[in-house]
Amino acid sequence: MRGASAICRLSKLRPHLHPFKPQLATSSPIFSSYYVLPLSATSSLSDVSSKKMLNLKVSVIGSGNWGSAIAKIVAENAAENRDMFETDVRMWVFEELVAGQKLTEIINTQHENVKYLPGIKLPSNVVAVPDLLDAVKDANLLVFNVPHQFLPRICSQLKGKVPSTVRAVSCIKGVEVSGDGITIIADYISQELGIYCGALSGANLAPEVAQEKFSETTVAYKVPDPSDSIDARVVRTLFHRPYFHVHVVDDVAGVSLCGALKNIVALASGFVDGMAWGDNAKAAIIRRGLLEMTKFGREFFPECNASTFTEESCGVADVITSCSGGRNNKLGAAMMKTRRPIFELEEELLKGQKAQGVTTAQEVHEFLERRGKLEDFPLFTAVHDIIFNGLDSYALPQILEDVEQKY
């Protein structure tokens, strides 16, 4: 009864808060580089800053389970903030047949992505579009959410077709590696399309987000022009839900690297699970993984904030989640249990979707090898060698012990 009395007293003091229902944050700091504005569950940030109608058109590029989950969030917020966004949210869908019917037709009539996010109803204002250029036509804000190995082909189709005033947010977890070096996905999109691009990443398993189970995420967005109508407040309004809390920072490089590198760590934790080494071993892998992630960011992207890796959802929280139940963890475990090639397992277990950690491990290894830095990142190097070079996974403890003095 004491707890119930406390709730009653809280309700009397703050009658606008329902004691049992998630509320939008009203007083906690949500902007790392911006002042805090009071919000209610029904008002939009534009009500506070301006009565001007923005009518921003939003398009989501990608329709896998994470792409569909993000499209659901964006569409919900577009419908609730009509002074800021156009209601319809177009989602580009790579057309394929499911039980003899086009996937776009299924999504637009049944309001469900039955192949990649079954059992989840999408808002009726999510409009599936099979043609990429039609999907992005007249859009003011693009949300990229495709496997990163498909991004070059998508950008080549969009090049020259997107005005420089368009803004973007990448939800893609990976990096692009070339002879010139390593590029975070947000920068790659910016360079290819000539538009500004931020990044979203966090401890966000797509099925749980789609089921509206509480989670947090980090959005990195640094306004390129003070006169932009699309600022950090607009971006937060687009993504924040009572069940999906958004913290906006300006460390695009740090958020992007966290989203990419944690997948390598998740593969290593999967190896531990597959060998049944237990929770202590997994904790050791998580600790070493975070060390290498932070070291990589500070050494090769000095603009990164170390706190992004240790304090944000995109950092330590995403590593914990990915090492507990993500695709890469499951794939690493399956590889140890079956001793089969990881690409065969990926095709079999993920049914057309991709585990980004395998590609990222290969690309990061290539980048480090060119710079003679493999020994400085023993966990990253070991994950690559276990997958591609037949390294015995049971050698992991010895490999990590041999370089302990480097930390």
Side-chain angles (χ1 to χ4, degrees):
M1 291 302 294
R2 185 177 300 176
S5 298
I7 291 174
C8 290
R9 290 196 298 272
L10 176 63
S11 300
K12 291 177 182 178
L13 289 171
R14 303 181 68 184
H16 62 289
L17 290 181
H18 191 291
F20 302 110
K21 184 178 181 181
Q23 301 291 324
L24 291 177
T26 58
S27 59
S28 59
I30 56 172
F31 305 120
S32 291
S33 303
Y34 302 86
Y35 55 87
V36 180
L37 297 175
L39 291 172
S40 73
T42 57
S43 67
S44 72
L45 284 159
S46 62
D47 293 332
V48 180
S49 61
S50 171
K51 292 295 182 181
K52 182 179 179 181
M53 298 286 286
L54 295 179
N55 293 323
L56 300 171
K57 294 182 180 180
V58 183
S59 294
V60 177
I61 300 173
S63 58
N65 66 349
W66 186 219
S68 297
I70 284 292
K72 175 180 179 292
I73 287 171
V74 168
E76 289 169 352
N77 284 326
E80 292 179 10
N81 295 275
R82 299 188 182 190
D83 59 331
M84 188 175 289
F85 307 109
E86 288 210 355
T87 303
D88 284 350
V89 173
R90 288 168 292 181
M91 178 175 70
W92 175 66
V93 176
F94 181 78
E95 192 69 280
E96 52 189 308
L97 295 179
V98 179
Q101 188 176 1
K102 292 180 179 178
L103 183 56
T104 52
E105 293 178 355
I106 295 173
I107 293 172
N108 288 333
T109 56
Q110 300 180 24
H111 306 297
E112 180 183 349
N113 188 336
V114 295
K115 180 166 184 179
Y116 297 114
L117 197 63
I120 300 296
K121 283 298 179 183
L122 300 177
S124 60
N125 58 321
V126 172
V127 181
V129 180
D131 184 272
L132 178 61
L133 296 182
D134 285 346
V136 305
K137 185 179 180 181
D138 299 325
N140 305 105
L141 208 163
L142 303 177
V143 181
F144 285 84
N145 209 332
V146 295
H148 88 270
Q149 58 266 41
F150 299 150
L151 188 61
R153 185 178 65 190
I154 289 171
C155 284
S156 68
Q157 295 178 60
L158 295 177
K159 204 164 189 174
K161 308 287 198 309
V162 179
S164 61
T165 53
V166 170
R167 300 295 176 243
V169 174
S170 168
C171 302
I172 301 169
K173 298 182 177 182
V175 290
E176 283 293 321
V177 174
S178 67
D180 298 327
I182 192 165
T183 306
I184 59 173
I185 295 298
D187 285 352
Y188 178 83
I189 292 170
S190 294
Q191 293 164 11
E192 291 296 305
L193 302 184
I195 61 176
Y196 175 77
C197 185
L200 181 152
S201 187
N204 308 138
L205 297 179
E208 293 184 12
V209 174
Q211 293 164 23
E212 303 187 4
K213 295 180 179 179
F214 170 64
S215 64
E216 298 178 315
T217 200
T218 311
V219 175
Y221 195 87
K222 190 173 184 178
V223 182
D225 186 332
S227 65
D228 267 15
S229 59
I230 301 176
D231 58 15
R233 297 172 298 175
V234 171
V235 171
R236 181 180 183 273
T237 303
L238 184 66
F239 292 109
H240 186 92
R241 298 296 295 160
Y243 60 87
F244 190 68
H245 288 193
V246 172
H247 186 218
V248 181
V249 301
D250 59 11
D251 185 10
V252 179
V255 171
S256 300
L257 285 173
C258 284
L261 298 177
K262 62 91 182 182
N263 286 327
I264 305 177
V265 184
L267 283 169
S269 78
F271 298 159
V272 167
D273 284 345
M275 295 183 290
W277 281 1
D279 292 335
N280 293 337
K282 178 175 284 194
I285 292 297
I286 289 173
R287 185 188 78 85
R288 296 303 295 264
L290 277 169
L291 283 174
E292 292 193 18
M293 287 169 60
T294 307
K295 178 181 174 66
F296 189 97
R298 297 180 72 176
E299 183 164 344
F300 302 116
F301 292 83
E303 70 272 25
C304 282
N305 296 325
S307 61
T308 300
F309 295 85
T310 57
E311 297 178 14
E312 293 295 335
S313 178
C314 64
V316 60
D318 198 10
V319 172
I320 293 170
T321 293
S322 298
C323 290
S324 300
R327 298 178 197 170
N328 294 280
N329 177 270
K330 292 176 181 177
L331 198 60
M335 183 182 178
M336 292 301 101
K337 291 175 180 177
T338 65
R339 297 294 167 171
R340 291 169 54 195
I342 201 163
F343 292 105
E344 287 183 11
L345 293 167
E346 184 179 49
E347 182 69 26
E348 179 181 308
L349 298 177
L350 301 185
K351 303 185 186 308
Q353 299 191 83
K354 296 294 181 182
Q356 300 300 316
V358 178
T359 303
T360 302
Q362 192 170 22
E363 292 179 334
V364 167
H365 186 272
E366 177 185 338
F367 173 80
L368 294 173
E369 188 173 36
R370 287 176 180 165
R371 285 153 183 79
K373 294 283 188 177
L374 290 176
E375 291 185 357
D376 292 344
F377 297 88
L379 182 63
F380 290 174
T381 301
V383 169
H384 173 273
D385 289 347
I386 289 169
I387 294 172
F388 294 100
N389 296 333
L391 176 68
D392 185 355
S393 55
Y394 285 88
L396 260 177
Q398 185 62 52
I399 291 170
L400 297 178
E401 183 179 35
D402 288 345
V403 294
E404 182 65 35
Q405 66 271 19
K406 290 184 179 293
Y407 297 99

